[in-house]
Amino acid sequence: MIDETRLLDATPLLDFRSDGIARLVEDRGWLRLSEHDRIGAAYDFVRNEILFGYNRADDIPASEVLADGYGQCNTKGTLLMALLRALGVPCRLHGFTILKALQRGVVPEAVYPVAPDEILHSWVEVQTGGRWVKLEGFILDKAFLGSLQEAFAGSESLCGYGVGTDCLSAPPVEWTGRDTYIQKTGIARDLGIHDTPDMFYAEHRQQFSPLHDLIYRGIVRHWMNARVRAIRSGQVPRIPGLERPEPLGKEVADTANRRAPKKA
């Protein structure tokens, strides 16, 4: 149940009165902007200045995500909600699960078979202009997404490497006042709308055994973050069974070589 009178409240996870978040909002001067531009400033900050990566858990405070300097859908969403509420913009969380195939390429092949079939996911919904706008396109930073667009140039559909889209060359990730998405095509189940991430994680947890949770926190997420950094730098690992287009320059060169007369 959504209580719209509480969509600006601070919570233990939405700790926007913490020193780091309060100082960020003050230093950037975001409160002096129009509502549209306040949303855009917070959105762009979370999208590109908080890099895509994997924190120790989903249910960590926004201030911890800010201090980490990286996050994934759930943790970056918590930080975005905290910033929006600090800026006087009502917001809520919409929870889902996504198919694990969306994470293949980031999840190492050695552990992919034992990863949960569905992974906890969420996006942020913001109230502006008398309507609710869905925000999911902030998950992947521009450099990371750009590496995938280059690796899969000529393809529009991609489910893997943290992407789930049918418009890879120009996904709706920029803030324009409209919905933004980057993992939408990987969604498996709708878990409903919640006032806060605190309420969402009180009801929904990633299904790990205690041992698997320990291994994830201590080993696997660091391995995944190393792969994310490699992808961001242009080293995109191949996924078994997923075709990757040849670069146009190579295609042209190969055609030229085939047509060239053979030397005696």
Side-chain angles (χ1 to χ4, degrees), residues 174-226:
E174 302 287 344
W175 167 248
T176 63
R178 299 177 181 175
D179 298 344
T180 71
Y181 299 107
I182 195 57
Q183 295 185 344
K184 186 179 180 182
T185 63
I187 288 175
R189 288 186 295 129
D190 189 332
L191 300 179
I193 297 172
H194 301 261
D195 288 1
T196 67
D198 310 60
M199 296 177 65
F200 178 59
Y201 298 121
E203 296 180 25
H204 302 283
R205 311 286 295 186
Q206 188 62 59
Q207 295 304 307
F208 282 140
S209 70
L211 177 59
H212 284 165
D213 185 56
L214 184 64
I215 292 171
Y216 169 78
R217 292 180 187 229
I219 299 173
V220 174
R221 76 178 183 94
H222 299 293
W223 195 355
M224 292 167 67
N225 284 335

Side-chain angles (χ1 to χ4, degrees), residues 20 29 71 75 219 244:
T75 53
I219 299 173
R244 185 182 302 180

Side-chain angles (χ1 to χ4, degrees), residues 34-94:
S34 67
E35 180 177 270
H36 177 90
D37 289 344
R38 269 181 278 152
I39 297 169
Y43 179 92
D44 290 344
F45 175 83
V46 172
R47 180 184 165 213
N48 288 316
E49 296 190 53
I50 303 298
L51 300 179
F52 177 50
Y54 293 84
N55 315 89
R56 63 179 178 85
D58 288 323
D59 56 344
I60 62 175
S63 58
E64 184 175 338
V65 185
L66 179 62
D68 282 351
Y70 61 85
Q72 33 83 343
C73 56
N74 299 312
T75 53
K76 290 182 81 166
T78 296
L79 177 56
L80 179 56
M81 288 185 69
L83 291 175
L84 290 169
R85 292 192 180 193
L87 296 171
V89 180
C91 57
R92 63 193 188 188
L93 177 148
H94 199 149

